Amino acid sequence: MNFIKQLNTNKLLVIIVSFILAITSNNLVYSKTLDTPKISPQLIKNNAIFTISQISDNIKFSSNYYDKLLEADRFYKQGDLQTAKQIQKQVKPDFPVADSPPAAEADLSKLDAKAKQYWTTAIEAIEEDPTAEEAITSRIFEPLKSLVKEYPGFIPGHILLADTYDLYSEEDNALRVIEKASEMYPGRDDVLDNKIDLLLTYGKYLEASIAAREFAYSYPNYHKTPAYEQAADKYFQQYQKKLKSKITTSGILGSIGQVATGNESSALEISQMLLTGENTAGQAFAASIKAQSKMVSNSRQLEYINDIGQRLAKLMGRDEFTYEFNIIDDPSPNAFALPGGKIFFHTGMLQLMDSEAELAGVLAHEIAHSVLSHSYKRIGESALTNTASNLLSSVVGREVGAVAKVGELLLSQKFSRGKEKQADVLGLRVLDAAGYSADGLYNVMAKLKQLSGKSNFAESLLSSHPASSERMRYLEELIQNKGYNRYGYEGVEAYRAVFPR
Ligand SMILES: [Zn+2]
């Protein structure tokens, strides 16, 4: 179903006709080979996204814990994954079980009278096209919202609600509804198609590309997967084209350069640099950070991180970046990503970690931020929302170049919850695909969370990557629902050899 993404009555008709055709001809046939995802019913019931888990507070990261993981690794390397798992389970408490969502259903005739009533009421009102706000609410949105809430397995309900929000120009709601459906039913290509359509409507090419790629990775044998891979490449090219034209035409960067530096020539410097693209711009930011920081030159440590980082980056799908991995001599436990795959670790972070799986977990998360262009987009967004001057007020007064100031701007701001989640989703998939225990990042967050009461240092990473109970629970659900392996390779010995305690 390919909906026309314009606010006109054509679109209304298309939606209605598509569904009527689909339902009456009963031709909604979906692959039975796709996994049925599992999501907690709380997600469906009361809009509260996640239940709270206390597990992360109860894991004891003692020497016994790592001795067990070390023992498990010996079996893992021999190919005895079952024994490795049993040993890890002795020290890793089970996550609370995530419940299954209802089975997906695309056929309205299989639902009861109440569901049909919701559907028909909304469809009739959409056909009639009421203009009074009250009628739109009571006759269209209320029945559709009830339908989605009470019959969450009914896929066309989610899609129609999202499209109806779009019809009434409610971008955020449209995307929220389809995103939620796609989290609950990640294997449904009808949900994916609709999500991609909406993302493209709102000019979110990079997100559309990632959605298509994510599906292709998760379901490599599905018949539409080659098409999704091609689409992912196409949307990505569109994203790059749009980004370039935005930078060239908007004058955004001229203004941020001026805010940052107060003079025209620096403004020009920043604009020109950003026009060179994410990779080169990232290089310039990285160079300025390196010039201001005490860098660690231990080649064994740098090579170790680089080997793992490059391996993970290859699984992410942005080959045009020159990935680099740096260590800053700083005792606060922090790690961050600059545009174009330039990743930095503080020594304090490396001291906090005890296994390769933990390192890989943080690496994958940071690389994902770069791959998703979070830092790069932040520059433009900050200028657009006119917060650049506020953000920069904390760094002015220091005699550093324009590039350095924007570099600091990138570091001083934390990412939104949505962006953190995107980086978690992509990072965890790659962590699992690389064969590491999929709870590597989770365990680092849990350690920081346990430490945060005792040490100011722990707040450092947490301020940019919050480890709320909600997020911990979300990571637990993600690992379970996607079927990731929590008992993979830990690499305790390998890590200790490079970073001795
Ligand atoms: Zn993050």
Side-chain angles (χ1 to χ4, degrees):
M1 275 174 261
N2 193 16
F3 298 138
I4 298 165
K5 294 295 164 195
Q6 272 167 353
L7 269 184
N8 56 31
T9 43
N10 283 351
K11 172 161 177 185
L12 278 168
L13 289 172
V14 172
I15 296 176
I16 294 159
V17 171
S18 306
F19 275 114
I20 291 169
L21 280 176
I23 285 157
T24 51
S25 62
N26 200 18
N27 65 351
L28 287 175
V29 180
Y30 298 101
S31 166
K32 299 268 186 262
T33 61
L34 301 182
D35 298 340
T36 308
K38 293 176 234 148
I39 291 272
S40 150
Q42 275 80 359
L43 184 146
I44 299 147
K45 271 187 207 143
N46 46 18
N47 268 0
I49 305 177
F50 306 109
T51 50
I52 303 301
S53 164
Q54 304 297 334
I55 293 293
S56 60
D57 296 333
N58 298 331
I59 304 175
K60 293 198 171 48
F61 296 102
S62 58
S63 58
N64 174 56
Y65 176 89
Y66 288 103
D67 288 347
K68 284 286 176 194
L69 298 191
L70 196 126
E71 191 189 336
D73 274 344
R74 289 195 191 112
F75 288 96
Y76 186 90
K77 281 188 199 160
Q78 291 163 13
D80 187 353
L81 307 189
Q82 207 47 44
T83 307
K85 179 178 175 176
Q86 278 163 10
I87 297 168
Q88 288 199 30
K89 274 175 88 73
Q90 292 172 19
V91 285
K92 288 183 178 180
D94 287 342
F95 291 156
V97 176
D99 302 305
S100 312
E105 176 60 68
D107 186 350
L108 183 65
S109 70
K110 300 230 173 91
L111 302 187
D112 63 19
K114 200 170 153 204
K116 286 174 191 150
Q117 182 63 37
Y118 288 141
W119 176 267
T120 319
T121 306
I123 290 283
E124 281 175 5
I126 292 171
E127 275 177 329
E128 225 178 83
D129 196 9
T131 48
E133 208 160 291
E134 206 178 304
I136 293 169
T137 304
S138 66
R139 295 178 54 205
I140 299 177
F141 282 109
E142 276 174 9
L144 279 181
K145 282 195 236 173
S146 302
L147 181 67
V148 166
K149 198 172 168 187
E150 294 167 35
Y151 303 86
F154 184 54
I155 302 293
H158 296 274
I159 294 178
L160 184 59
L161 179 58
D163 277 325
T164 309
Y165 273 127
D166 173 43
L167 202 61
Y168 288 94
S169 303
E170 294 191 32
E171 174 179 339
D172 289 350
N173 280 329
L175 292 177
R176 179 183 51 77
V177 166
I178 203 65
E179 184 59 49
K180 197 161 141 185
S182 129
E183 272 178 23
M184 288 167 68
Y185 300 101
R188 296 288 302 202
D189 60 350
D190 48 355
V191 173
L192 175 69
D193 288 344
N194 189 261
K195 179 175 159 181
I196 289 174
D197 265 356
L198 284 168
L199 288 169
L200 294 177
T201 305
Y202 298 122
K204 295 180 180 293
Y205 298 107
L206 181 65
E207 285 83 350
S209 171
I210 287 159
R213 212 179 293 283
E214 179 79 30
F215 186 95
Y217 276 124
S218 303
Y219 306 98
N221 301 320
Y222 189 55
H223 71 278
K224 281 170 79 177
T225 287
Y228 284 128
E229 277 168 347
Q230 279 179 16
D233 289 341
K234 190 178 106 192
Y235 304 146
F236 185 69
Q237 282 159 14
Q238 285 173 300
Y239 159 73
Q240 282 186 313
K241 213 170 136 190
K242 189 188 162 198
L243 194 69
K244 196 154 193 175
S245 90
K246 208 170 160 186
I247 292 172
T248 323
T249 56
S250 65
I252 285 171
L253 298 167
S255 60
I256 191 175
Q258 282 188 35
V259 173
T261 63
N263 75 61
E264 287 280 348
S265 64
S266 298
L268 201 66
E269 183 195 338
I270 306 253
S271 302
Q272 283 171 343
M273 191 197 56
L274 282 161
L275 269 175
T276 61
E278 291 181 72
N279 190 51
T280 315
Q283 241 146 27
F285 290 132
S288 96
I289 298 283
K290 285 185 228 172
Q292 294 171 73
S293 313
K294 197 175 159 201
M295 303 306 294
V296 171
S297 59
N298 183 320
S299 57
R300 191 172 178 209
Q301 294 181 349
L302 289 167
E303 271 166 34
Y304 181 64
I305 298 183
N306 187 61
D307 283 350
I308 301 163
Q310 298 291 354
R311 210 159 6 106
L312 295 169
K314 275 203 182 66
L315 298 166
M316 299 258 184
R318 285 197 76 174
D319 306 336
E320 83 276 23
F321 289 170
T322 313
Y323 291 91
E324 59 167 72
F325 302 89
N326 305 285
I327 306 174
I328 296 174
D329 189 359
D330 185 323
S332 60
N334 204 359
F336 57 89
L338 296 182
K342 316 297 184 265
I343 313 295
F344 290 78
F345 274 85
H346 284 187
T347 44
M349 188 71 204
L350 295 163
Q351 275 155 20
L352 179 90
M353 300 189 294
D354 296 276
S355 75
E356 197 169 304
E358 291 177 0
L359 171 65
V362 177
L363 268 170
H365 176 88
E366 296 302 335
I367 297 169
H369 274 309
S370 268
V371 163
L372 297 165
S373 298
H374 287 163
S375 315
Y376 197 69
K377 283 197 279 186
R378 171 184 283 176
I379 303 170
E381 280 162 14
S382 303
L384 274 175
T385 53
N386 202 25
T387 55
S389 55
N390 299 334
L391 288 163
L392 282 160
S393 63
S394 59
V395 296
V396 287
R398 287 180 57 179
E399 284 306 312
V400 287
V403 172
K405 281 189 177 171
V406 175
E408 287 189 42
L409 164 70
L410 285 172
L411 299 183
S412 65
Q413 229 186 340
K414 56 181 170 185
F415 291 122
S416 68
R417 229 170 64 172
K419 288 197 166 83
E420 282 306 320
K421 202 162 149 183
Q422 284 178 0
D424 283 340
V425 170
L426 181 57
L428 248 57
R429 178 180 64 66
V430 167
L431 185 65
D432 182 72
Y436 291 109
S437 290
D439 57 6
L441 174 70
Y442 176 90
N443 287 328
V444 176
M445 304 297 282
K447 272 195 208 178
L448 281 166
K449 196 160 169 276
Q450 290 180 9
L451 262 180
S452 63
K454 300 169 199 156
S455 147
N456 290 336
F457 275 153
E459 302 288 345
S460 169
L461 181 77
L462 291 181
S463 67
S464 54
H465 299 81
S468 60
S469 299
E470 182 194 294
R471 184 178 186 190
M472 300 309 287
R473 180 60 188 148
Y474 167 68
L475 290 171
E476 290 168 9
E477 300 244 7
L478 195 62
I479 289 168
Q480 292 182 81
N481 293 333
K482 300 256 180 179
Y484 294 151
N485 179 19
R486 237 185 120 189
Y487 314 103
Y489 179 60
E490 287 285 342
V492 175
E493 199 171 12
Y495 190 85
R496 282 180 179 169
V498 182
F499 298 101
R501 297 292 95 168

